[in-house]
Amino acid sequence: KAGVTQTPRYLIKTRGQQVTLSCSPISGHRSVSWYQQTPGQGLQFLFEYFSETQRNKGNFPGRFSGRQFSNSRSEMNVSTLELGDSALYLCASTGWGGGETQYFGPGTRLLVL
Amino acid sequence: GESVGLHLPTLSVQEGDNSIINCAYSNSASDYFIWYKQESGKGPQFIIDIRSNMDKRQGQRVTVLLNKTVKHLSLQIAATQPGDSAVYFCAENGNYGQNFVFGPGTRLSVLP
């Protein structure tokens, strides 16, 4: 099976702009989670989607949002970008969610100038 | 809030030696744990997992030990190789529907 794919791999944006990142889970997986990784904060959970519904949400401001499509592909959006949003954004998929092995994509490196 | 791990230590080992990476977790209700390896510029890669009804699980050159009494997890890597150099994360997960909580990671450096 193909692994988790994320596009784009790299992005450069300026403050105030918005960005949309895409994630395609492993075929057959229905749960998609998003994480933000920074040197200072480590891996922090953003949100999890299952069957097109947000099931869990981390402690991030409302500028961070996501959605999932019927084919389980997911997108996350960050509006009004801030310098502190520069990070590696990781997507992970599992079949059903909690209690299962979670597989990660390569990430999207976002740089906000 | 809940947390896994405390600091980001660095472990340096000689090639061929065994490595032991430790992780502390705080949620006694967690029942599933995963170790990940992350190389520079890549996403975390699954290494091995263990459920709370076990205290030891072995893979190829890796062993995970779980001590629920003191809420401690360890990853043992046998005959450490240069390709093992990476940051290693432990992650815990509770019941169905809960998200994974990750530790801060340990950087493993393998010396020639």
Side-chain angles (χ1 to χ4, degrees), chain A residues 8 12 34-35 47 93 101 105 107-108 110:
Chain A
I12 299 176
W34 288 90
Y35 294 85
F47 29 66
S93 77
T101 304
T108 294
L110 172 64

Side-chain angles (χ1 to χ4, degrees), chain A residues 50-97:
Chain A
F50 179 79
S51 291
E52 302 178 64
T53 301
Q54 187 181 86
R55 190 164 59 177
N56 289 297
K57 189 177 188 303
N59 296 323
F60 278 82
R63 299 185 298 107
F64 292 81
S65 63
R67 61 177 176 169
Q68 187 179 34
F69 302 94
S70 58
N71 62 357
S72 295
R73 189 177 69 87
S74 177
E75 290 182 344
M76 68 161 282
N77 182 275
V78 188
S79 62
T80 320
L81 284 166
E82 300 177 0
L83 295 179
D85 296 333
S86 294
L88 179 67
Y89 289 88
L90 292 159
C91 163
S93 77
T94 69
W96 296 92

Side-chain angles (χ1 to χ4, degrees), chain B residues 55-105:
Chain B
D55 53 22
K56 179 180 180 179
R57 191 162 189 225
Q58 290 183 291
Q60 188 177 14
R61 281 201 309 117
V62 294
T63 301
V64 55
L65 299 177
L66 175 62
N67 186 330
K68 295 180 288 293
T69 302
V70 295
K71 291 184 286 187
H72 183 266
L73 199 64
S74 68
L75 176 70
Q76 300 178 358
I77 304 174
T80 312
Q81 302 169 359
D84 295 328
S85 292
V87 177
Y88 290 81
F89 293 95
C90 62
E92 64 176 311
N93 185 255
N95 296 322
Y96 174 82
Q98 294 185 9
N99 57 281
F100 280 90
V101 176
F102 284 78

Side-chain angles (χ1 to χ4, degrees), chain B residues 12 20 35 41-43 46 59 64 69 87 90:
Chain B
S12 296
I20 300 176
W35 278 101
K42 297 183 179 179
F46 172 88
V64 55
T69 302
V87 177
C90 62

Side-chain angles (χ1 to χ4, degrees), chain A residues 37 55-56 99-102, chain B residues 32 36 38 51 93 96-97:
Chain A
Q37 187 176 32
R55 190 164 59 177
N56 289 297
E100 289 186 283
T101 304
Q102 190 172 79
Chain B
Y32 181 53
Y36 287 94
Q38 187 175 26
R51 296 198 180 272
N93 185 255
Y96 174 82

